[in-house]
Amino acid sequence: MAGPECPEGREATMQRLYEVMFIVRPDVADEDLDKLIAGLEQTVSNGGGTVNSTEKMGRRKLAYVVRKFGEGNYILLNLSADGSLIAELERRLRVSEPVIKFITVRMDEEEKRLAKVRAIRATRKKLSAMPAESAEAAPAQPAPAETATQASA
Amino acid sequence: MADETTTTPRSEAPAGRPSGPGGRSGPGGPGGPGGRKFFRRKKVCKFCTEKIDAISYRDVRLLQGFVAERGKIVPRRLTGVCTTHQRRLSRAIKQARNIALLPFAARY
């Protein structure tokens, strides 16, 4: 997210957060599936992106028939990459035969919004916690002070 | 309409019309009953009360509660969802439809 401001080598890349979910046909073998995912991850890292996580969501029944298949293997890829790299990745997905459907969702704006909401909630909670702490501290301090003065008087 | 000799209906109609929308906007303001004149109990937005921030296209279970039997998106006045969440929900449902997690049109 520190694009043009960051010097030293990185040529003004804006790393954005993306979620790519794609469906692989159900009749591919497990090792082929792994090979496919590894190939895609390689594409991402070659292009300067990072794969945050890969999740195999398993075989699911599709809501409608896609290319004559009723079921498919769902795979979710979470990655931070440049926009042009995503274009390359999508081209690869479109071309690759076992992949029957894919969708790319941009997540960085959503993440920013969620972080903001969480930050607001954290400050709100702290505000409600602080008076309790100061209320506990305040009577604790004057109370022994009062008793001390009373004892001395 | 050109033969309207009686002017009384015409004079009644403008008087009647303000009360119509007036009556509808009364219960329409708080709850949105969808055409009824009396109060329908106020429906609250599920996402606002449960503080669900992110509506992802991936949680099909959540989305299916807002999709009708034939796969159509249920309007906001029936579910009680607030506008911002309805828009996000709608977007998520369309994304889910694209990735075959939800159907475009179900049954016959």
Side-chain angles (χ1 to χ4, degrees):
Chain A
M1 264 79 135
E5 302 146 2
C6 176
E8 330 119 23
R10 242 206 288 177
E11 320 119 354
T13 47
M14 268 274 298
Q15 290 277 318
R16 296 169 173 173
L17 202 59
Y18 291 96
E19 255 185 32
V20 180
M21 184 183 268
F22 56 96
I23 313 177
V24 178
R25 5 175 333 174
D27 50 7
V28 299
D30 275 337
E31 60 255 10
D32 291 334
L33 182 62
D34 291 328
K35 241 191 279 176
L36 175 70
I37 298 175
L40 290 171
E41 289 179 351
Q42 191 75 17
T43 317
V44 173
S45 36
N46 285 351
T50 41
V51 178
N52 296 341
S53 69
T54 315
E55 197 187 318
K56 279 197 217 165
M57 310 190 64
R59 195 171 279 213
R60 273 190 73 127
K61 187 164 165 6
L62 300 178
Y64 47 87
V65 178
V66 180
R67 268 201 231 167
K68 301 195 186 63
F69 291 112
E71 287 187 339
N73 265 313
Y74 278 82
I75 291 135
L76 178 65
L77 276 177
N78 224 310
L79 40 89
S80 342
D82 203 23
S84 51
L85 178 59
I86 289 293
E88 169 64 29
L89 185 68
E90 284 202 345
R91 189 193 66 83
R92 254 180 214 253
L93 285 170
R94 221 182 301 264
V95 153
S96 79
E97 212 266 313
V99 173
I100 51 176
K101 241 194 203 294
F102 64 91
I103 182 172
T104 314
V105 182
R106 199 172 142 183
M107 290 302 282
D108 49 334
E109 299 293 323
E110 183 75 11
E111 275 301 309
K112 264 194 245 169
R113 188 183 62 87
L114 287 173
K116 209 203 275 190
V117 166
R118 274 183 226 133
I120 292 173
R121 269 203 215 134
T123 53
R124 249 195 263 148
K125 270 199 192 138
K126 274 199 200 125
L127 282 171
S128 64
M130 265 167 57
E133 289 170 6
S134 57
E136 283 168 15
Q141 280 168 6
E146 279 169 24
T147 50
T149 48
Q150 276 174 10
S152 65
Chain B
M1 287 297 169
D3 289 298
E4 282 242 312
T5 46
T6 49
T7 51
T8 38
R10 225 185 276 158
S11 58
E12 274 171 17
R17 251 187 251 127
S19 65
R24 246 181 278 137
S25 64
R36 301 288 152 117
K37 271 210 216 135
F38 49 84
F39 255 98
R40 191 150 284 189
R41 48 161 188 90
K42 232 201 273 196
K43 261 201 114 105
V44 285
C45 172
K46 178 183 170 169
F47 300 101
C48 290
T49 44
E50 292 176 21
K51 298 237 187 282
I52 303 171
D53 295 330
I55 308 172
S56 175
Y57 62 96
R58 284 177 279 135
D59 47 5
V60 183
R61 225 38 55 84
L62 174 71
L63 296 178
Q64 257 169 353
F66 297 93
V67 163
E69 207 177 66
R70 299 202 54 170
K72 298 162 100 172
I73 302 177
V74 184
R76 181 170 94 83
R77 59 188 160 89
L78 296 181
T79 54
V81 184
C82 70
T83 316
T84 39
H85 287 127
Q86 177 71 7
R87 268 190 298 196
R88 281 187 214 145
L89 180 67
S90 181
R91 194 156 182 262
I93 291 174
K94 289 173 186 174
Q95 283 171 346
R97 281 178 180 167
N98 261 304
I99 197 69
L101 289 167
L102 283 176
F104 282 101
R107 291 191 83 202
Y108 300 83

